[in-house]
Coordinates of all heavy atoms in Angstrom, one line a residue:
M8 N 38.7 -2.5 9.2 CA 37.8 -3.5 9.7 C 38.2 -4.9 9.1 O 38.6 -4.9 7.9 CB 36.4 -3.2 9.3 CG 35.3 -4.2 9.7 SD 33.8 -3.9 8.9 CE 33.7 -2.1 8.9
L9 N 38.2 -5.9 9.8 CA 38.6 -7.2 9.3 C 37.6 -7.7 8.2 O 36.4 -7.6 8.3 CB 38.5 -8.2 10.5 CG 39.0 -9.6 10.3 CD1 40.5 -9.6 10.1 CD2 38.5 -10.5 11.4
Q10 N 38.2 -8.1 7.1 CA 37.4 -8.7 6.0 C 37.1 -10.1 6.3 O 37.9 -11.0 6.5 CB 38.3 -8.7 4.8 CG 37.9 -7.7 3.7 CD 38.8 -7.9 2.5 OE1 39.1 -9.0 2.1 NE2 39.1 -6.8 1.8
L11 N 35.8 -10.4 6.4 CA 35.3 -11.8 6.6 C 35.1 -12.4 5.3 O 34.0 -12.3 4.7 CB 34.0 -11.8 7.5 CG 34.1 -11.0 8.8 CD1 32.8 -10.9 9.4 CD2 35.1 -11.7 9.8
R12 N 36.2 -13.1 4.8 CA 36.1 -13.7 3.4 C 35.3 -15.0 3.5 O 35.3 -15.7 4.5 CB 37.5 -13.9 2.9 CG 38.2 -12.6 2.8 CD 39.6 -12.8 2.2 NE 40.3 -11.5 2.2 CZ 41.6 -11.3 2.0 NH1 42.4 -12.4 1.8 NH2 42.2 -10.1 2.0
P13 N 34.6 -15.2 2.3 CA 33.5 -16.3 2.4 C 34.0 -17.7 2.3 O 33.2 -18.6 2.6 CB 32.7 -15.9 1.1 CG 33.6 -15.2 0.2 CD 34.6 -14.5 1.1
T14 N 35.3 -17.9 1.8 CA 35.7 -19.3 1.6 C 37.2 -19.4 1.9 O 37.9 -18.5 2.1 CB 35.5 -19.8 0.1 OG1 36.4 -19.0 -0.7 CG2 34.1 -19.6 -0.4
C15 N 37.6 -20.7 2.0 CA 39.0 -21.0 2.2 C 39.7 -20.8 0.8 O 39.3 -21.2 -0.2 CB 39.2 -22.5 2.6 SG 40.9 -23.1 2.5
E16 N 40.8 -20.1 0.9 CA 41.6 -19.7 -0.3 C 42.1 -21.0 -1.0 O 42.3 -20.9 -2.2 CB 42.8 -18.8 0.1 CG 43.4 -18.0 -1.0 CD 44.3 -16.9 -0.4 OE1 44.0 -16.2 0.5 OE2 45.4 -16.9 -0.9
H17 N 42.4 -22.0 -0.3 CA 42.9 -23.2 -0.9 C 41.8 -24.2 -1.4 O 41.8 -24.5 -2.6 CB 43.8 -24.0 0.1 CG 44.5 -25.2 -0.5 ND1 45.4 -25.1 -1.6 CD2 44.4 -26.5 -0.2 CE1 45.7 -26.4 -1.9 NE2 45.2 -27.2 -1.1
C18 N 40.9 -24.6 -0.5 CA 40.0 -25.7 -0.9 C 38.6 -25.1 -1.2 O 37.7 -25.9 -1.7 CB 39.9 -26.7 0.2 SG 39.0 -26.2 1.7
N19 N 38.4 -23.8 -1.0 CA 37.2 -23.1 -1.3 C 36.0 -23.6 -0.5 O 34.8 -23.3 -0.9 CB 36.9 -23.3 -2.8 CG 36.2 -22.0 -3.4 OD1 36.3 -20.9 -2.8 ND2 35.4 -22.2 -4.4
V20 N 36.2 -24.3 0.6 CA 35.0 -24.6 1.5 C 34.4 -23.3 2.0 O 35.2 -22.4 2.3 CB 35.5 -25.6 2.6 CG1 36.4 -24.9 3.6 CG2 34.3 -26.2 3.3
A21 N 33.1 -23.3 2.2 CA 32.5 -22.2 2.8 C 32.9 -21.9 4.2 O 33.0 -22.8 5.0 CB 31.0 -22.3 2.7
L22 N 33.2 -20.6 4.5 CA 33.6 -20.1 5.8 C 32.7 -19.0 6.2 O 33.1 -17.8 6.1 CB 35.0 -19.8 5.9 CG 36.0 -20.9 5.7 CD1 37.5 -20.3 5.6 CD2 36.0 -21.9 6.8
P23 N 31.4 -19.3 6.5 CA 30.5 -18.2 6.9 C 31.0 -17.4 8.1 O 31.9 -17.9 8.8 CB 29.2 -18.9 7.2 CG 29.6 -20.3 7.4 CD 30.8 -20.6 6.7
P24 N 30.5 -16.2 8.3 CA 31.0 -15.4 9.4 C 31.0 -16.0 10.8 O 31.8 -15.6 11.6 CB 30.1 -14.1 9.3 CG 29.1 -14.3 8.3 CD 29.4 -15.6 7.5
D25 N 30.1 -17.0 11.0 CA 30.0 -17.6 12.3 C 30.8 -18.9 12.4 O 30.7 -19.6 13.3 CB 28.6 -17.8 12.7 CG 27.9 -18.9 11.8 OD1 28.4 -19.2 10.7 OD2 26.7 -19.3 12.2
S26 N 31.6 -19.2 11.3 CA 32.4 -20.4 11.3 C 33.5 -20.4 12.4 O 34.1 -19.4 12.6 CB 33.0 -20.6 9.9 OG 33.9 -21.7 10.0
T27 N 33.6 -21.5 13.1 CA 34.7 -21.7 14.0 C 35.9 -22.3 13.4 O 36.9 -22.6 14.0 CB 34.3 -22.5 15.2 OG1 33.9 -23.8 14.8 CG2 33.2 -21.9 16.0
K28 N 35.8 -22.6 12.1 CA 36.9 -23.3 11.3 C 37.7 -22.3 10.5 O 38.7 -22.7 9.9 CB 36.3 -24.3 10.4 CG 35.7 -25.5 11.1 CD 35.4 -26.6 10.2 CE 35.6 -28.0 10.9 NZ 35.7 -29.1 9.9
A29 N 37.4 -21.0 10.5 CA 38.1 -20.1 9.7 C 39.4 -19.7 10.4 O 39.4 -19.4 11.7 CB 37.3 -18.8 9.4
R30 N 40.5 -19.6 9.7 CA 41.8 -19.1 10.2 C 42.3 -18.0 9.4 O 42.1 -18.0 8.1 CB 42.8 -20.3 10.3 CG 42.4 -21.4 11.1 CD 42.4 -21.1 12.6 NE 42.1 -22.2 13.5 CZ 40.8 -22.5 13.8 NH1 39.8 -21.8 13.4 NH2 40.6 -23.5 14.6
I31 N 42.9 -17.0 10.0 CA 43.5 -15.9 9.2 C 44.9 -15.6 9.6 O 45.3 -15.8 10.8 CB 42.6 -14.6 9.4 CG1 42.5 -14.2 10.9 CG2 41.3 -14.7 8.7 CD1 41.9 -12.9 11.1
C32 N 45.7 -15.0 8.7 CA 47.0 -14.5 9.0 C 46.8 -13.0 9.3 O 45.7 -12.5 9.2 CB 48.0 -14.8 7.9 SG 47.9 -13.6 6.6
S33 N 47.9 -12.3 9.6 CA 47.8 -10.9 9.9 C 47.3 -10.1 8.7 O 46.9 -8.9 8.9 CB 49.1 -10.4 10.4 OG 50.0 -10.2 9.4
Y34 N 47.5 -10.6 7.5 CA 47.0 -9.9 6.3 C 45.6 -10.3 5.9 O 45.1 -10.0 4.8 CB 48.0 -10.2 5.1 CG 49.3 -9.4 5.3 CD1 50.4 -10.1 5.8 CD2 49.4 -8.1 5.0 CE1 51.6 -9.5 5.9 CE2 50.6 -7.4 5.2 CZ 51.7 -8.1 5.6 OH 52.9 -7.5 5.8
E35 N 45.0 -11.1 6.7 CA 43.6 -11.6 6.5 C 43.5 -12.7 5.4 O 42.5 -13.0 4.9 CB 42.6 -10.4 6.2 CG 42.7 -9.3 7.2 CD 41.8 -8.2 6.9 OE1 41.0 -8.2 5.9 OE2 41.8 -7.2 7.6
C36 N 44.7 -13.3 5.0 CA 44.6 -14.4 4.2 C 43.8 -15.5 5.0 O 44.1 -15.7 6.1 CB 46.0 -15.0 3.9 SG 47.2 -13.8 3.2
T37 N 42.8 -16.1 4.3 CA 41.8 -16.8 5.0 C 41.8 -18.3 4.5 O 41.7 -18.5 3.3 CB 40.4 -16.2 4.8 OG1 40.5 -14.8 5.3 CG2 39.4 -16.9 5.6
F38 N 42.0 -19.2 5.4 CA 42.0 -20.6 5.1 C 41.1 -21.4 6.2 O 40.9 -20.8 7.3 CB 43.4 -21.2 5.1 CG 44.3 -20.6 4.0 CD1 45.0 -19.5 4.2 CD2 44.3 -21.2 2.8 CE1 45.8 -18.9 3.2 CE2 45.1 -20.7 1.8 CZ 45.8 -19.6 2.0
C39 N 40.7 -22.6 5.8 CA 40.0 -23.4 6.8 C 41.1 -24.1 7.7 O 42.2 -24.3 7.4 CB 39.1 -24.4 6.2 SG 40.0 -25.8 5.3
V40 N 40.6 -24.5 8.9 CA 41.6 -25.1 9.9 C 42.2 -26.4 9.3 O 43.3 -26.7 9.6 CB 40.9 -25.4 11.2 CG1 39.7 -26.3 11.1 CG2 41.9 -25.8 12.3
D41 N 41.4 -27.1 8.5 CA 42.0 -28.4 7.9 C 43.1 -28.1 7.0 O 44.2 -28.8 7.1 CB 40.9 -29.1 7.2 CG 39.7 -29.5 8.1 OD1 40.0 -29.8 9.3 OD2 38.6 -29.5 7.7
C42 N 43.0 -27.1 6.2 CA 44.1 -26.8 5.3 C 45.3 -26.2 6.0 O 46.4 -26.5 5.7 CB 43.7 -25.8 4.2 SG 42.6 -26.5 2.9
V43 N 45.0 -25.4 7.0 CA 46.1 -24.8 7.8 C 46.9 -25.9 8.5 O 48.2 -25.8 8.5 CB 45.6 -23.8 8.9 CG1 46.6 -23.5 10.0 CG2 45.1 -22.5 8.3
E44 N 46.2 -26.9 9.0 CA 47.0 -28.0 9.7 C 47.6 -29.0 8.7 O 48.7 -29.4 8.9 CB 46.0 -28.6 10.7 CG 45.8 -27.7 11.9 CD 44.7 -28.2 12.9 OE1 44.2 -29.3 12.7 OE2 44.5 -27.5 13.8
S45 N 46.8 -29.4 7.7 CA 47.2 -30.6 7.0 C 48.0 -30.2 5.7 O 48.8 -31.0 5.2 CB 46.1 -31.5 6.6 OG 45.2 -30.8 5.8
V46 N 47.8 -29.0 5.2 CA 48.4 -28.6 3.9 C 49.5 -27.5 4.2 O 50.6 -27.6 3.6 CB 47.4 -28.1 2.9 CG1 48.1 -27.7 1.6 CG2 46.3 -29.1 2.6
L47 N 49.2 -26.6 5.0 CA 50.0 -25.4 5.2 C 51.0 -25.5 6.3 O 51.9 -24.6 6.4 CB 49.1 -24.1 5.3 CG 48.1 -23.9 4.2 CD1 47.3 -22.7 4.5 CD2 48.8 -23.7 2.8
S48 N 50.9 -26.4 7.2 CA 51.8 -26.5 8.4 C 51.8 -25.2 9.1 O 52.9 -24.8 9.6 CB 53.2 -26.9 8.0 OG 53.2 -28.0 7.2
N49 N 50.7 -24.5 9.2 CA 50.6 -23.2 9.9 C 51.6 -22.2 9.4 O 52.1 -21.3 10.1 CB 50.8 -23.4 11.4 CG 50.2 -22.2 12.2 OD1 49.3 -21.5 11.7 ND2 50.8 -21.9 13.3
V50 N 51.9 -22.2 8.1 CA 52.7 -21.2 7.4 C 51.8 -20.6 6.3 O 51.4 -21.3 5.4 CB 54.0 -21.8 6.8 CG1 54.7 -20.8 6.0 CG2 54.9 -22.4 7.9
C51 N 51.6 -19.3 6.4 CA 50.8 -18.7 5.3 C 51.6 -18.7 4.0 O 52.7 -18.3 4.0 CB 50.4 -17.2 5.7 SG 49.6 -16.4 4.4
P52 N 51.0 -19.2 2.9 CA 51.7 -19.3 1.7 C 52.0 -17.9 1.0 O 52.8 -17.8 0.1 CB 50.7 -20.1 0.8 CG 49.4 -19.9 1.3 CD 49.6 -19.7 2.8
N53 N 51.3 -16.9 1.5 CA 51.5 -15.6 0.9 C 52.5 -14.7 1.7 O 53.2 -13.9 1.1 CB 50.1 -14.9 0.9 CG 49.1 -15.7 0.1 OD1 49.4 -16.2 -1.0 ND2 47.9 -15.8 0.7
C54 N 52.6 -14.9 3.0 CA 53.5 -14.1 3.8 C 54.4 -14.8 4.8 O 55.3 -14.2 5.3 CB 52.7 -13.0 4.6 SG 51.7 -13.7 6.0
G55 N 54.2 -16.1 5.0 CA 55.0 -16.9 5.9 C 54.7 -16.8 7.3 O 55.3 -17.5 8.2
G56 N 53.7 -16.0 7.6 CA 53.2 -15.9 9.0 C 52.3 -17.0 9.5 O 52.0 -17.9 8.7
G57 N 52.0 -17.0 10.7 CA 51.1 -18.1 11.3 C 49.7 -17.7 11.2 O 49.4 -16.5 10.8
F58 N 48.8 -18.6 11.6 CA 47.4 -18.3 11.6 C 46.8 -18.3 13.0 O 47.3 -19.0 13.9 CB 46.7 -19.4 10.7 CG 47.0 -19.3 9.3 CD1 48.0 -20.1 8.7 CD2 46.3 -18.5 8.4 CE1 48.3 -20.0 7.4 CE2 46.6 -18.4 7.1 CZ 47.6 -19.2 6.5
E59 N 45.7 -17.6 13.1 CA 44.9 -17.6 14.3 C 43.4 -17.8 13.9 O 43.1 -17.6 12.8 CB 45.0 -16.3 15.1 CG 46.5 -15.9 15.5 CD 46.9 -16.8 16.7 OE1 46.1 -17.5 17.4 OE2 48.2 -16.9 16.9
R60 N 42.7 -18.2 14.9 CA 41.2 -18.3 14.7 C 40.6 -16.9 14.3 O 40.9 -16.0 15.0 CB 40.5 -18.9 15.9 CG 39.2 -19.5 15.6 CD 38.6 -20.1 16.9 NE 37.2 -19.5 16.9 CZ 36.3 -19.9 17.8 NH1 36.6 -20.8 18.7 NH2 35.1 -19.4 17.7
R61 N 39.8 -16.9 13.3 CA 39.1 -15.7 12.9 C 38.0 -15.4 13.9 O 37.1 -16.2 14.2 CB 38.5 -15.8 11.5 CG 38.0 -14.5 11.0 CD 37.4 -14.6 9.6 NE 36.2 -15.4 9.5 CZ 35.6 -15.8 8.4 NH1 36.1 -15.5 7.3 NH2 34.5 -16.6 8.5
P62 N 38.0 -14.2 14.5 CA 36.9 -13.8 15.4 C 35.5 -13.8 14.7 O 35.5 -13.5 13.5 CB 37.3 -12.4 15.9 CG 38.6 -12.2 15.4 CD 38.9 -13.1 14.3
V63 N 34.5 -14.1 15.5 CA 33.1 -14.1 14.9 C 32.6 -12.7 15.2 O 32.5 -12.3 16.4 CB 32.3 -15.2 15.6 CG1 30.8 -15.0 15.2 CG2 32.8 -16.6 15.2
R64 N 32.1 -12.0 14.1 CA 31.5 -10.7 14.3 C 30.1 -10.9 14.8 O 29.4 -11.8 14.3 CB 31.5 -10.0 13.0 CG 30.9 -8.6 13.1 CD 31.2 -7.8 11.8 NE 32.7 -7.7 11.6 CZ 33.3 -7.5 10.4 NH1 32.5 -7.3 9.3 NH2 34.6 -7.4 10.3
P65 N 29.7 -10.2 15.8 CA 28.3 -10.4 16.4 C 27.2 -10.3 15.3 O 27.3 -9.4 14.5 CB 28.2 -9.3 17.4 CG 29.6 -8.9 17.8 CD 30.4 -9.1 16.6
S66 N 26.3 -11.2 15.4 CA 25.1 -11.1 14.5 C 24.0 -10.2 15.0 O 23.1 -9.9 14.2 CB 24.6 -12.6 14.3 OG 24.1 -13.1 15.5
K67 N 24.1 -9.8 16.2 CA 23.1 -8.9 16.8 C 23.7 -7.6 17.1 O 24.9 -7.5 17.5 CB 22.5 -9.5 18.0 CG 21.8 -10.9 17.8 CD 21.1 -11.3 19.1 CE 20.4 -12.7 18.9 NZ 21.4 -13.8 18.8
N68 N 22.9 -6.6 17.1 CA 23.4 -5.2 17.4 C 23.4 -5.0 18.9 O 22.5 -4.4 19.5 CB 22.4 -4.2 16.8 CG 23.0 -2.8 16.9 OD1 24.0 -2.6 17.5 ND2 22.2 -1.8 16.4
W69 N 24.4 -5.6 19.6 CA 24.6 -5.5 21.0 C 25.0 -4.1 21.4 O 24.6 -3.6 22.5 CB 25.7 -6.4 21.5 CG 25.4 -7.9 21.3 CD1 26.0 -8.7 20.3 CD2 24.4 -8.7 21.9 NE1 25.5 -10.0 20.4 CE2 24.5 -10.0 21.3 CE3 23.5 -8.5 22.9 CZ2 23.7 -11.0 21.7 CZ3 22.6 -9.5 23.3 CH2 22.7 -10.8 22.7
K70 N 25.7 -3.4 20.6 CA 26.2 -2.1 21.0 C 26.7 -1.3 19.7 O 27.5 -1.8 18.9 CB 27.4 -2.3 21.9 CG 27.8 -1.0 22.6 CD 28.8 -1.2 23.7 CE 29.0 0.1 24.5 NZ 30.1 0.1 25.4
G71 N 26.2 -0.1 19.6 CA 26.8 0.9 18.7 C 26.7 0.5 17.2 O 27.5 1.0 16.4
N72 N 25.8 -0.3 16.9 CA 25.6 -0.7 15.5 C 26.9 -1.4 14.9 O 27.1 -1.5 13.7 CB 25.3 0.5 14.6 CG 24.3 0.2 13.5 OD1 23.4 -0.6 13.8 ND2 24.4 0.9 12.4
N73 N 27.7 -2.0 15.8 CA 28.8 -2.8 15.4 C 28.4 -4.3 15.3 O 28.6 -5.0 16.3 CB 30.0 -2.6 16.4 CG 30.4 -1.2 16.5 OD1 30.7 -0.6 15.4 ND2 30.5 -0.6 17.7
F74 N 27.9 -4.7 14.2 CA 27.5 -6.0 14.0 C 27.4 -6.4 12.5 O 27.5 -5.5 11.7 CB 26.1 -6.3 14.8 CG 24.9 -5.7 14.1 CD1 23.9 -6.6 13.7 CD2 24.8 -4.4 13.8 CE1 22.7 -6.1 13.1 CE2 23.6 -3.9 13.1 CZ 22.6 -4.7 12.8
L75 N 27.1 -7.6 12.2 CA 27.1 -8.1 10.8 C 26.0 -7.4 10.0 O 26.3 -7.2 8.8 CB 26.7 -9.6 10.8 CG 27.8 -10.6 10.7 CD1 27.2 -12.0 10.6 CD2 28.7 -10.4 9.6
G76 N 24.9 -7.0 10.6 CA 23.9 -6.3 9.8 C 24.4 -5.0 9.2 O 24.0 -4.7 8.1
A77 N 25.2 -4.3 10.0 CA 25.8 -3.0 9.5 C 27.1 -3.3 8.7 O 27.4 -2.5 7.8 CB 26.0 -2.1 10.7
D78 N 27.8 -4.3 9.1 CA 29.1 -4.5 8.5 C 29.2 -6.0 8.0 O 29.8 -6.9 8.7 CB 30.3 -4.3 9.5 CG 30.3 -2.8 9.9 OD1 30.2 -1.9 9.0 OD2 30.4 -2.6 11.1
P79 N 28.5 -6.3 6.9 CA 28.4 -7.7 6.5 C 29.7 -8.3 6.0 O 30.7 -7.6 5.7 CB 27.4 -7.6 5.3 CG 27.4 -6.2 4.8 CD 27.9 -5.3 6.0
A80 N 29.7 -9.6 6.0 CA 30.9 -10.4 5.5 C 31.1 -10.1 4.0 O 30.2 -9.7 3.3 CB 30.6 -11.9 5.7
S81 N 32.3 -10.3 3.6 CA 32.7 -10.1 2.2 C 32.0 -11.2 1.3 O 31.8 -12.3 1.9 CB 34.2 -10.1 2.0 OG 34.5 -10.3 0.6
T82 N 31.7 -10.9 0.1 CA 31.1 -12.0 -0.8 C 32.1 -12.3 -1.9 O 31.8 -13.1 -2.8 CB 29.8 -11.6 -1.4 OG1 30.0 -10.3 -2.1 CG2 28.7 -11.4 -0.3
V83 N 33.3 -11.6 -1.8 CA 34.3 -11.8 -2.9 C 35.1 -13.1 -2.6 O 35.9 -13.1 -1.7 CB 35.2 -10.6 -3.0 CG1 36.2 -10.8 -4.1 CG2 34.4 -9.3 -3.2
V84 N 34.9 -14.1 -3.5 CA 35.7 -15.3 -3.3 C 37.1 -15.2 -3.8 O 37.3 -14.7 -4.9 CB 35.0 -16.5 -4.1 CG1 35.8 -17.8 -4.1 CG2 33.6 -16.8 -3.4
K85 N 38.0 -15.6 -2.9 CA 39.5 -15.5 -3.3 C 39.9 -17.0 -3.3 O 40.3 -17.5 -2.3 CB 40.2 -14.7 -2.3 CG 41.5 -14.1 -2.8 CD 42.1 -13.1 -1.8 CE 43.1 -12.2 -2.5 NZ 43.7 -11.2 -1.6
H86 N 39.8 -17.6 -4.4 CA 40.2 -19.1 -4.5 C 41.5 -19.2 -5.3 O 41.5 -19.1 -6.5 CB 39.1 -19.8 -5.2 CG 39.3 -21.3 -5.2 ND1 38.8 -22.1 -6.2 CD2 40.0 -22.1 -4.3 CE1 39.2 -23.4 -5.9 NE2 39.9 -23.4 -4.8
R87 N 42.6 -19.3 -4.5 CA 43.9 -19.4 -5.2 C 44.6 -20.6 -4.6 O 45.5 -20.4 -3.7 CB 44.7 -18.1 -4.9 CG 44.2 -16.9 -5.5 CD 45.1 -15.7 -5.3 NE 45.4 -15.4 -3.9 CZ 46.1 -14.4 -3.4 NH1 46.6 -13.5 -4.3 NH2 46.3 -14.2 -2.2
P88 N 44.3 -21.8 -5.0 CA 44.9 -23.0 -4.4 C 46.4 -23.0 -4.4 O 47.0 -22.5 -5.4 CB 44.4 -24.2 -5.3 CG 43.2 -23.6 -6.0 CD 43.4 -22.1 -6.2
V89 N 47.0 -23.4 -3.3 CA 48.5 -23.4 -3.3 C 49.0 -24.6 -4.1 O 48.4 -25.7 -4.1 CB 49.1 -23.4 -1.9 CG1 48.6 -22.2 -1.1 CG2 48.7 -24.7 -1.2
D90 N 50.2 -24.5 -4.7 CA 50.9 -25.6 -5.2 C 51.6 -26.3 -4.0 O 52.4 -25.8 -3.4 CB 52.0 -25.0 -6.2 CG 52.8 -26.1 -6.8 OD1 53.2 -27.1 -6.1 OD2 53.2 -26.0 -8.0
V91 N 51.0 -27.5 -3.8 CA 51.4 -28.2 -2.5 C 52.9 -28.4 -2.4 O 53.5 -28.2 -1.4 CB 50.6 -29.4 -2.3 CG1 51.0 -30.2 -1.0 CG2 49.1 -29.1 -2.1
A92 N 53.5 -28.9 -3.5 CA 54.9 -29.2 -3.4 C 55.7 -28.0 -3.2 O 56.7 -27.9 -2.5 CB 55.3 -29.9 -4.7
Q93 N 55.4 -26.9 -4.0 CA 56.1 -25.7 -3.8 C 55.9 -25.1 -2.4 O 56.9 -24.6 -1.8 CB 55.4 -24.7 -4.8 CG 56.4 -23.6 -5.3 CD 55.7 -22.6 -6.3 OE1 54.9 -23.1 -7.1 NE2 55.9 -21.4 -6.2
H94 N 54.7 -25.2 -1.8 CA 54.5 -24.7 -0.5 C 55.3 -25.5 0.5 O 55.9 -24.9 1.4 CB 53.0 -24.8 -0.1 CG 52.8 -24.2 1.3 ND1 52.9 -22.9 1.6 CD2 52.6 -24.8 2.5 CE1 52.8 -22.7 2.9 NE2 52.6 -23.9 3.5
Q95 N 55.4 -26.8 0.3 CA 56.2 -27.6 1.3 C 57.7 -27.2 1.3 O 58.3 -27.1 2.4 CB 56.1 -29.1 0.9 CG 54.8 -29.7 1.5 CD 54.5 -31.1 1.0 OE1 55.2 -31.6 0.1 NE2 53.5 -31.7 1.6
S96 N 58.2 -26.9 0.1 CA 59.6 -26.4 0.2 C 59.7 -25.0 0.8 O 60.7 -24.7 1.5 CB 60.3 -26.5 -1.2 OG 59.8 -25.6 -2.1
F97 N 58.8 -24.2 0.5 CA 58.7 -22.8 1.1 C 58.6 -23.0 2.6 O 59.3 -22.3 3.4 CB 57.6 -22.0 0.6 CG 57.3 -20.7 1.3 CD1 58.3 -19.7 1.3 CD2 56.1 -20.5 1.9 CE1 58.0 -18.5 1.9 CE2 55.8 -19.3 2.5 CZ 56.8 -18.3 2.5
A98 N 57.7 -23.8 3.1 CA 57.4 -23.9 4.5 C 58.4 -24.7 5.3 O 58.5 -24.6 6.5 CB 56.0 -24.6 4.7
A99 N 59.2 -25.5 4.6 CA 60.2 -26.4 5.3 C 61.1 -25.6 6.3 O 61.3 -26.1 7.4 CB 61.0 -27.2 4.3
S100 N 61.6 -24.5 5.9 CA 62.5 -23.8 6.7 C 61.8 -22.8 7.7 O 62.4 -22.3 8.6 CB 63.4 -22.9 5.8 OG 62.7 -22.1 5.0
I101 N 60.5 -22.7 7.6 CA 59.8 -21.7 8.4 C 58.9 -22.4 9.5 O 58.8 -21.9 10.6 CB 58.8 -20.9 7.5 CG1 59.7 -20.1 6.5 CG2 58.0 -19.9 8.3 CD1 58.8 -19.4 5.4
A102 N 58.4 -23.6 9.1 CA 57.4 -24.2 10.0 C 57.9 -24.5 11.4 O 57.1 -24.5 12.4 CB 56.8 -25.5 9.4
N103 N 59.2 -24.7 11.6 CA 59.7 -25.0 12.9 C 59.9 -23.8 13.8 O 60.2 -23.9 15.0 CB 61.0 -25.8 12.8 CG 60.7 -27.2 12.3 OD1 59.6 -27.7 12.5 ND2 61.7 -27.8 11.6
I104 N 59.8 -22.6 13.2 CA 60.0 -21.3 13.9 C 58.6 -21.0 14.4 O 57.7 -20.8 13.6 CB 60.6 -20.2 13.0 CG1 61.8 -20.7 12.3 CG2 60.8 -18.9 13.8 CD1 62.3 -19.7 11.2
P105 N 58.4 -20.7 15.7 CA 57.1 -20.3 16.2 C 56.7 -19.0 15.5 O 57.5 -18.2 15.3 CB 57.3 -20.2 17.7 CG 58.7 -20.6 18.0 CD 59.4 -20.8 16.8
P106 N 55.4 -18.9 15.2 CA 54.9 -17.7 14.5 C 55.4 -16.4 15.1 O 55.7 -15.4 14.5 CB 53.4 -17.8 14.5 CG 53.2 -19.3 14.6 CD 54.3 -19.9 15.4
E107 N 55.4 -16.4 16.5 CA 55.8 -15.1 17.2 C 57.3 -14.8 17.0 O 57.7 -13.7 17.4 CB 55.4 -15.2 18.7 CG 56.1 -16.2 19.5 CD 55.4 -17.6 19.5 OE1 54.6 -17.8 18.5 OE2 55.6 -18.3 20.4
A108 N 58.1 -15.7 16.4 CA 59.5 -15.5 16.3 C 59.9 -15.4 14.8 O 61.0 -15.3 14.4 CB 60.3 -16.6 16.9
R109 N 58.9 -15.4 13.9 CA 59.2 -15.4 12.5 C 59.5 -14.0 11.9 O 58.9 -13.0 12.2 CB 58.0 -15.9 11.6 CG 57.9 -17.4 11.8 CD 56.8 -18.0 10.9 NE 56.5 -19.3 11.4 CZ 55.4 -20.0 11.1 NH1 54.4 -19.4 10.4 NH2 55.2 -21.2 11.6
Ligands
ZN8 ZN1 40.6 -25.3 3.1
ZN9 ZN1 49.5 -14.2 5.0

């Protein structure tokens, strides 16, 4: 099951489960859209992959008990700000490759 992490790993802004600003990589590294675009250049600092919008888990029990009430968001904050200069040199050779070709 996808971990709905509570904040952006870089700037620590709150990303509640219904946020439309949450972005994740395939490993569920979680950042806000502002950091993905302005700091990370759509390159995950942990794996080099791209980001997609994090799906919103339904808040109501529409079907089969698959909803936030049964599977709540994570409350474990993972705040590991990136070293911006270091990330820029890491991302420089990757950012121009589309995520699907990395
Ligand atoms: Zn952020
Ligand atoms: Zn990643």
Side-chain angles (χ1 to χ4, degrees):
M8 184 192 318
L9 187 71
Q10 252 185 35
L11 304 172
R12 298 182 184 166
T14 67
C15 171
E16 200 169 310
H17 182 63
C18 73
N19 212 27
V20 71
L22 295 172
D25 64 349
S26 174
T27 57
K28 293 191 143 197
R30 298 291 181 272
I31 54 172
C32 82
S33 75
Y34 289 100
E35 305 177 7
C36 304
T37 304
F38 294 88
C39 71
V40 63
D41 299 327
C42 287
V43 165
E44 287 172 2
S45 64
V46 181
L47 302 176
S48 309
N49 198 29
V50 174
C51 175
N53 305 314
C54 71
F58 290 94
E59 298 289 343
R60 202 181 127 173
R61 187 178 71 187
V63 172
R64 185 166 298 160
S66 60
K67 298 185 182 74
N68 187 2
W69 299 108
K70 194 171 185 189
N72 221 32
N73 297 310
F74 78 120
L75 263 184
D78 298 313
S81 165
T82 56
V83 181
V84 172
K85 202 170 196 178
H86 186 209
R87 297 186 300 188
V89 301
D90 179 321
V91 174
Q93 204 180 320
H94 180 72
Q95 279 172 350
S96 70
F97 171 63
S100 54
I101 301 174
N103 290 333
I104 307 167
E107 63 271 25
R109 285 183 198 161

